[in-house]
Amino acid sequence: QVQLVESGGGLVQAGGSLRLSCAASGRTYAMGWFRQASGTEREFVAHITTNGGSTYYADFVKGRFTISRVNAKNTMYLQMNSLKPEDTAVYYCAARNDLAASALPSDYAYWGQGTQVTVSS
C-alpha cells in the first residue's frame, strides 16, 4: 500500500506560477496528476513513466506545466507556469501498479487527498 501526500497548492494571480509536490510513502511506478474543478469530473493533467523518461500532457497544459520526479526522494512534481483562472481546481497525484503511464483515472491504484489551486483573474 502506497500513501501519497500532495503539497504546494494555494492562491495565485493569473500569469503566476506554483509548484506542486507529491510525496510517496514508498517506491512507485508510473504516476500522474489529475484535477477536478467544482461540479466537474476528474480530468487528466499529465503523467510520467516509472523512470521519468517519458511524459505526456493534456492539450490544455502543454507548454505551461512540467511533470517530473525524483525517485531517490519518492517525490513527483508539477511545475505550473502561466496559470489561468480556468486552472482552478483540486489537484490530485496518483500512482499505478504498472510501469506504463496512463491518462485514465481508473488505471491508478493510489491517490492523494488533493491540494487546492486557485487562480484569480
Side-chain angles (χ1 to χ4, degrees), residues 31-97:
M31 298 186 74
W33 286 98
F34 295 79
R35 71 185 188 185
Q36 188 168 17
S38 180
T40 68
E41 295 186 351
R42 193 165 299 188
E43 65 179 354
F44 166 73
V45 175
H47 64 54
I48 188 167
T49 50
T50 303
N51 63 4
S54 179
T55 59
Y56 184 76
Y57 299 89
D59 286 344
F60 54 77
V61 302
K62 284 182 179 177
R64 299 189 299 126
F65 292 9
T66 303
I67 188 172
S68 62
R69 65 190 295 167
V70 178
N71 288 339
K73 295 183 178 181
N74 291 330
T75 303
M76 177 178 67
Y77 304 95
L78 185 69
Q79 177 67 43
M80 305 186 295
N81 298 328
S82 302
L83 283 162
K84 305 175 181 179
E86 51 263 45
D87 293 320
T88 295
V90 177
Y91 283 71
Y92 298 89
C93 68
R96 299 195 67 196
N97 284 321

Side-chain angles (χ1 to χ4, degrees), residues 28-32 94-102 104 107-110:
T28 56
Y29 296 97
M31 298 186 74
R96 299 195 67 196
N97 284 321
D98 197 285
L99 297 178
S102 171
L104 298 176
D107 283 343
Y108 288 80
Y110 308 106

